Amino acid sequence: MSAALLSFARMLLEQADIMQKHFGVGNKRVPKFCVSCQHYSFAVNAFVEVVKECDADRYGFILRETQTGSVSRSMN
């Protein structure tokens, strides 16, 4: 075997280990609730009400206030 092949195999094994640690059993991924909106107080107030109604320990909440064009692009 060449040194290049052994180096590549070592790199693959390291990447597999990183992926196992990130996605493996026991690693709980927190679902995210993301809202993208323009800067209006009614939108912020509605988002706050949703957060109050949900179990905030089970979800990650993200409110992204931006301009109209950015809201449309963030939906893709």
Side-chain angles (χ1 to χ4, degrees):
M1 291 189 179
S2 70
L5 178 61
L6 290 175
S7 176
F8 184 71
R10 185 180 311 113
M11 183 178 65
L12 285 175
L13 290 172
E14 289 171 357
Q15 290 295 319
D17 186 46
I18 290 169
M19 290 177 67
Q20 179 67 30
K21 287 177 183 173
H22 183 76
F23 296 107
V25 176
N27 290 346
K28 183 179 176 187
R29 294 182 56 125
V30 177
K32 294 183 179 114
F33 178 74
C34 305
V35 174
S36 199
C37 65
Q38 294 181 32
H39 181 72
Y40 289 113
S41 60
F42 73 87
V44 174
N45 293 339
F47 183 80
V48 169
E49 290 302 315
V50 168
V51 172
K52 286 180 182 177
E53 293 294 321
C54 294
D55 183 359
D57 294 332
R58 288 189 54 206
Y59 300 95
F61 293 94
I62 300 169
L63 176 63
R64 190 176 310 138
E65 293 181 314
T66 186
Q67 298 174 346
T68 305
S70 298
V71 171
S72 299
R73 282 190 297 278
S74 73
M75 300 306 288
N76 294 331

